[in-house]
Amino acid sequence: MSHTKTSIRLSVAMGRIQPSATVGISQMARQLAAEGRDIIALSAGEPDFDTPEPIKEAARRAMDAGKTKYTNIAGIAELREAVADKFRRENGLDVAAEDCFVASGGKQIIFNALMATLDPGDEVVVPVPYWVSYPDIVRLAGATPVFASAGADTGFKITPEKLRAVLSERTRWLILNSPSNPTGAAYGADELAALGAVLRDFPGVLVLSDDIYEHLLYDGGTFATLAQVCPDLADRVVTLNGVSKAYSMTGWRIGYCAAPRELLAGMAKLQGQSTTNACSISQWAAVEALTGSQDFLTEWRSIFQNRRDMVVDGLNRIKGIECLVPDGAFYVFPGISDLLGTVSAGGAAIETDEDFVMALLAEQGVALVHGKAFGLSGHFRLSYAASEKDLSGALERIGVFCAGLKAA
Ligand code: GLU
């Protein structure tokens, strides 16, 4: 019997999105390492610390107690209560467990919120540079991302004037991320209040406040979030957070939010038709993360701050690299425009930031992510959520690579 090979046609929606560059380059780095290459991967935003023992212990206890079945879509009651308590205690939000929702990572919260609200023709304002997945989730939902510059000239933050210029009656959402991935820039309460004043003139606009890097704020900086600074806007804000970055629990996949209840109903409808609930065992681990001792966060923060200083200093010593000091998160986003239009020691033409990171990976085994993936060419993102040994090794290799660049 002859067999005709079936050609698989992907959906039109798949044609609207790109693979995630952060996830893709990190997978590439893992693959090269598995092939025996000496790779220093600074491409993924993932703390190198182990998940703290009491959190793992809570997961073991949950398994032993048979907490291995489906849960409510929005999460187990204990976790929603712990989330509400965290938002009240740390952020001053006026919320109850019913205002809170749990999903498989922050990404699923974003998917749920955007897919549940967007239609073709709708617009979502995304400050640039942005985390790679925001615009593509918007596009997947059939809506249009509208980019607003938040470049180095304004400390990688959107100004009230720039925000006003892009808002219209088509705008459904504004996405804010502070401290920011990829730049580490963080908005102060006064800056959020100024953005809030603009938003009051556009009552139909919802805001996604992605606070996933909340606990990673340096130099004694105080964290602020929009729903806290402007409580009158809270009924249109999704305050998004999760345990991945703060508690080094990236693989456990727990994100959570506080949001208006009508929106949560839409998100629950969608999640009930996709993953149903976040992993039950991970939810119990997250209860421990949020309610247990938070003491180690202070120590981790100071380790990250030292790494930040080491990386900023090391990069600024390399001719052609210009690196601002980030307020938080664990990324730097230096400019490398002066290094473009060159040829690497290995003979690669370095026309773009993508050429730069690809040649650096091939020739020196350091994995970074190109700025263009975050909407701003002429930069790269380096995650310093790695050991000091890896960071100093990477700085040395980046220095060697840059010193080897010759005029084209
Ligand atoms: N958010 C992290 C990053 O930007 C993890 C990978 C991802 O989901 O993008 O590296």
Side-chain angles (χ1 to χ4, degrees), residues 22-23 43-45 107 131 181 213 245 331 381:
T22 48
V23 174
S43 42
K107 245 178 199 165
W131 174 48
N181 177 2
Y213 298 99
K245 314 291 184 181
Y331 307 108
R381 187 192 78 171

Side-chain angles (χ1 to χ4, degrees), residues 278-291:
C279 167
S280 59
I281 302 156
S282 298
Q283 291 192 57
W284 284 102
V287 171
E288 174 61 30
L290 293 180
T291 59

